[in-house]
Amino acid sequence: MHCTEPSAAEWITASELPWQQLVRFGPADFQAYARLRFIPDPTSEGESENDAPIPDGRLSETEQLQLFLTVLRIHSRTPQDLYFCFWEGVWDSAVTGSKVDVPNRSYLLFRGHATELGEWGTSASETQGRRPESPDPAFIWPADHAWCVANDIDPHWAGIGASNEAIGQLMADPRLDIVLTDPTLDQPYYR
């Protein structure tokens, strides 16, 4: 549901990180950072996402995020109290709710459960305000701030900040393509 209290996102909006780092990995000060690769990283400069080798049976982005959240939920004291920010470009101006602004991006804030991922816009009232190409949330975090998933509109991966234990458990799941990273460094990208 739409969240009417924007203060839940202040830990993101008040961040002084460079905007690209913030929208790709979330706030600072987590023990570890990693990337969930939706498709493999490029192998050569100038490569297009259309050239990426996609293994048969690969889960969709939403399915990968759902699996990701199943693991992350056990690393939070508030696993059923999640916040979701959706890039405002996927909703029309008739949708109301709290707006969350960071440099170069604006989002609408929602609050709900992990089980609602992929279900946004399925009720009649939400469908009216949602554009058909609506992507997954740009940010997901629990109320206790135990971790943060950042899924910006451009990269082929989602960034995660969490505890060493949570990142280790994600990396151990053979269904997920997780790599450790340093959010202050340039990341692989497709043209």
Side-chain angles (χ1 to χ4, degrees):
M1 77 171 109
H2 289 105
C3 184
T4 57
E5 184 49 56
S7 64
E10 283 180 359
W11 75 310
I12 294 172
T13 60
S15 174
E16 294 183 10
L17 291 173
W19 77 271
Q20 292 104 335
Q21 183 179 337
L22 178 64
V23 300
R24 292 179 180 166
F25 289 101
D29 299 327
F30 286 105
Q31 288 180 333
Y33 289 87
R35 291 185 299 118
L36 165 62
R37 297 186 291 196
F38 299 123
I39 60 175
D41 286 338
T43 56
S44 61
E45 189 174 326
E47 190 175 354
S48 165
E49 282 189 32
N50 297 330
D51 299 328
I54 309 297
D56 289 338
R58 183 137 184 137
L59 299 174
S60 72
E61 240 178 78
T62 299
E63 291 169 327
Q64 289 180 64
L65 284 170
Q66 287 169 333
L67 180 57
F68 200 58
L69 289 179
T70 300
V71 173
L72 286 174
R73 286 177 34 195
I74 65 171
H75 295 279
S76 169
R77 293 181 320 276
T78 57
Q80 294 302 323
D81 190 7
L82 300 181
Y83 290 92
F84 303 84
C85 280
F86 287 87
W87 178 55
E88 73 172 353
V90 300
W91 298 90
D92 72 21
S93 59
V95 176
T96 59
S98 293
K99 192 173 177 184
V100 173
D101 294 311
V102 299
N104 300 309
R105 301 279 191 268
S106 293
Y107 308 97
L108 291 178
L109 182 62
F110 292 77
R111 188 175 191 175
H113 301 281
T115 56
E116 294 174 291
L117 185 67
E119 301 298 320
W120 300 105
T122 57
S123 72
S125 63
E126 289 174 324
T127 302
Q128 292 172 357
R130 181 176 154 264
R131 293 183 182 163
E133 69 277 7
S134 176
D136 292 311
F139 286 102
I140 308 168
W141 71 92
D144 68 358
H145 298 183
W147 46 264
C148 184
V149 176
N151 187 18
D152 194 35
I153 57 176
D154 295 325
H156 62 282
W157 47 266
I160 173 71
S163 67
N164 288 323
E165 181 183 357
I167 297 293
Q169 189 171 357
L170 288 167
M171 291 182 70
D173 192 317
R175 300 168 294 176
L176 296 171
D177 183 5
I178 306 287
V179 292
L180 287 175
T181 194
D182 179 341
T184 65
L185 300 178
D186 288 338
Q187 304 298 320
Y189 66 93
Y190 287 95
R191 65 172 168 92

